[in-house]
Amino acid sequence: MADTFTTRTIDVTTGTTETVHDLTDACASFLREVAAGRDGLLNVFTPHARQA
């Protein structure tokens, strides 16, 4: 098991209307950069959204 973890924060601003934001490209880009084709676990944490 690897000793290191890599973290990236993606800020998404959605405005005042309900919307869906596709994170697929951001996740795929992250994995290309850090995973180098290895197996692993991608954990996406989405905290509760705040209303502006």
Side-chain angles (χ1 to χ4, degrees), residues 10 13-14 17 22-23 28 31-33 35 37 41-42 48 50 52:
I10 301 169
T13 303
T14 57
T17 58
D22 186 355
L23 301 174
L31 291 174
R32 278 191 300 275
E33 292 175 29
L41 173 68
L42 174 65
H48 189 279
R50 296 181 301 178

Side-chain angles (χ1 to χ4, degrees), residues 22-47:
D22 186 355
L23 301 174
T24 305
D25 289 340
C27 292
S29 173
F30 173 74
L31 291 174
R32 278 191 300 275
E33 292 175 29
V34 301
R38 298 172 297 186
D39 289 337
L41 173 68
L42 174 65
N43 184 19
V44 178
F45 172 69
T46 29

